[in-house]
Amino acid sequence: MKIGEVAKQTGLSVKSIRYYHDIGLVCGERNEAGYRVYRHQDIEALNFVHQCRDLGFSLEDCKSLLGLKGNESRNAEDVKQLTQTHLAYVEEQINKLQQLRAQLHHMVTLCQGGDQPHCAIIDSLSHEDNESHDTDDDKSHKNQSLHDAGSECCAKNLK
């Protein structure tokens, strides 16, 4: 099956399938004309990777899981450990995003809006001393964590 048909069948973009081929994750064979041709097991692997990516696994994790899937003598504990590690990462990101949400919600409630030039959100973004109970290191770490959580969320949505 050619790459365009594989894309339709798997829900992956042609670009993603080519990328997975280029990095050696799932490789189609080249026919005499030089086109990538994918067999049933390749399509199955691409569907598996697609499902893993939908769950937020990294490409490295996808490669590991795909290798474990293909290994009849695999140890289920290895799969569980990899998934538990990913779950811990997801829970950490959720926590960071909840903190980010609370901070943004607080800013929005401070702002009265309207036609006036004064904006509590701008003031809040301009001053780091909004949380007087935090030390400078705590605020810096929290702000970096919130920034990272928001950036990671946006970066994953771009992929």
Side-chain angles (χ1 to χ4, degrees):
M1 188 178 298
K2 289 187 180 176
I3 197 166
E5 298 165 20
V6 173
K8 287 178 187 173
Q9 189 170 342
T10 61
L12 292 166
S13 68
V14 169
K15 186 176 180 179
S16 292
I17 296 169
R18 284 186 182 131
Y19 180 68
Y20 295 160
H21 178 93
D22 292 345
I23 64 171
L25 189 59
V26 178
C27 298
E29 295 183 15
R30 298 231 182 231
N31 65 14
E32 293 175 8
Y35 291 107
R36 293 180 178 104
V37 179
Y38 292 86
R39 301 163 296 171
H40 175 73
Q41 61 263 36
D42 299 326
I43 294 167
E44 202 173 272
L46 286 167
N47 280 324
F48 183 84
V49 169
H50 190 190
Q51 179 67 19
C52 291
R53 294 295 286 156
D54 281 349
L55 291 171
F57 284 100
S58 69
L59 287 174
E60 189 62 35
D61 288 345
C62 291
K63 186 175 186 175
S64 296
L65 287 166
L66 196 56
L68 288 165
K69 179 183 183 289
N71 181 355
E72 293 289 324
S73 61
R74 70 180 162 261
N75 185 344
E77 187 60 33
D78 293 338
V79 179
K80 183 176 182 178
Q81 184 60 46
L82 194 149
T83 304
Q84 284 178 322
T85 300
H86 181 61
L87 176 60
Y89 170 78
V90 168
E91 288 172 344
E92 179 183 331
Q93 296 311 305
I94 289 170
N95 185 38
K96 288 178 182 179
L97 287 170
Q98 287 173 335
Q99 291 175 19
L100 178 62
R101 179 179 180 247
Q103 187 176 12
L104 290 170
H105 185 269
H106 179 70
M107 285 183 192
V108 168
T109 56
L110 290 176
C111 185
Q112 295 177 356
D115 293 337
Q116 64 183 350
H118 178 265
C119 178
I121 295 171
I122 295 294
D123 291 346
S124 182
L125 292 170
S126 299
H127 302 13
E128 283 195 38
D129 59 351
N130 294 329
E131 301 172 42
S132 58
H133 60 278
D134 285 347
T135 66
D136 286 342
D137 286 342
D138 290 342
K139 285 187 281 190
S140 176
H141 181 25
K142 181 184 272 186
N143 288 339
Q144 185 62 45
S145 293
L146 295 173
H147 177 269
D148 291 347
S151 298
E152 289 171 14
C153 176
C154 294
K156 283 191 175 191
N157 287 334
L158 292 175
K159 291 182 180 177

